Amino acid sequence: MKSAKQHLTQHLIIFTRYPEPGKTKTRLIPVLGDIGAANLQKQMTEQTILQVKELQKLTKLSVEIRFTGGNLEKMRNWLGNDLLYQFQDEGDLGQRMERSLVNAFNQTAKQVIIIGTDCPALNSQILLTAFEKLQVFNLVLGPAIDGGYYLIGLQKPAAELFTNIHWGTAEVFAKTVEIAEELNLSIGYLPSLADIDRPEDLESKYD
């Protein structure tokens, strides 16, 4: 699924899932139901894309959607033809993120940021700040209140940041920082924001 579009030096990768009822936001299904959970996934992804389009008015970057579920046609019908799309492929979250980073750096990207779509408060200004920090720091992290992170950005690949980490746990952010410090990477931090993954997170849901 290659594209003729070239990566610019600033490249943003968005990890998301096609909002198919019963297969997305499964931890929220007991509260929202199959369709409600899928609709929340759809709404949060569209909110993220909206902020990314605002970001594109502020700085020059290429954008790539790494998706699971659905297919290329469904993704294009949903989010449009003006974005790059790639399947996430196999492996745990760390392997999939690391693969996407390496792919971007192997093209023309010099600064690569990965975000998910679970963080309604992530806006274009925070994303702009992340790219600005990435001109100064080797690594940029956006801590999530649950102990994970909503954003990671690098100036070059660092596979160690994505291995031997228990994804989905409260130790992800701390472990990532620990590894980064062992690698002598300089770290730029963004504001802590809330993710929406579990029923208790819904209290912070945007209107």
Side-chain angles (χ1 to χ4, degrees):
M1 213 188 303
K2 299 294 181 189
S3 169
K5 290 185 181 178
Q6 281 293 308
H7 290 246
L8 300 169
T9 56
Q10 293 189 144
H11 187 64
L12 180 67
I13 300 168
I14 304 168
F15 269 58
T16 193
R17 176 182 290 274
Y18 186 75
E20 188 175 341
K23 294 188 177 180
T24 181
K25 287 283 165 218
T26 52
R27 284 180 287 186
L28 294 176
I29 287 173
V31 180
L32 299 177
D34 288 3
I35 293 172
N39 283 342
L40 179 62
Q41 167 71 14
K42 181 175 185 287
Q43 186 182 2
M44 290 198 299
T45 299
E46 289 170 2
Q47 164 76 3
T48 302
I49 299 295
L50 196 67
Q51 292 303 316
V52 169
K53 290 189 171 171
E54 287 298 310
L55 175 67
Q56 288 179 303
K57 297 174 186 175
L58 304 171
T59 187
K60 203 169 180 182
L61 76 156
S62 50
V63 179
E64 170 188 345
I65 307 284
R66 287 263 170 172
F67 68 95
T68 60
N71 56 41
L72 181 59
E73 183 183 11
K74 285 181 176 178
M75 292 299 294
R76 283 181 170 158
N77 287 342
W78 174 29
L79 298 175
N81 292 315
D82 56 340
L83 296 164
L84 296 167
Y85 294 94
Q86 291 276 10
F87 283 113
Q88 287 183 24
D89 294 325
E90 300 303 314
D92 68 17
L93 178 60
Q95 291 169 318
R96 287 178 276 139
M97 287 197 292
E98 210 258 329
R99 190 185 303 123
S100 70
L101 277 164
V102 169
N103 181 259
F105 283 119
N106 282 344
Q107 298 188 51
T108 59
K110 299 283 186 255
Q111 297 156 358
V112 182
I113 286 175
I114 300 176
I115 60 172
T117 58
D118 296 338
C119 190
L122 179 57
N123 59 37
S124 58
Q125 287 299 324
I126 294 172
L127 289 168
L128 182 63
T129 299
F131 275 110
E132 288 170 348
K133 283 182 180 289
L134 206 44
Q135 295 178 24
V136 179
F137 297 98
N138 305 135
L139 168 68
V140 172
L141 287 171
I145 289 168
D146 64 5
Y149 56 75
Y150 61 85
L151 178 152
I152 185 167
L154 283 160
Q155 294 177 337
K156 61 182 180 182
E160 296 91 338
L161 294 173
F162 303 98
T163 52
N164 299 319
I165 289 181
H166 301 295
W167 301 104
T169 68
E171 64 188 57
V172 170
F173 178 78
K175 182 68 174 172
T176 303
V177 170
E178 181 186 315
I179 295 168
E181 288 173 347
E182 287 171 4
L183 296 172
N184 291 318
L185 297 177
S186 58
I187 309 172
Y189 295 101
L190 297 167
S192 294
L193 299 178
D195 268 349
I196 295 183
D197 287 316
R198 300 173 179 83
E200 58 267 28
D201 300 332
L202 289 169
E203 293 175 12
S204 62
K205 182 184 178 301
Y206 61 93
D207 296 324

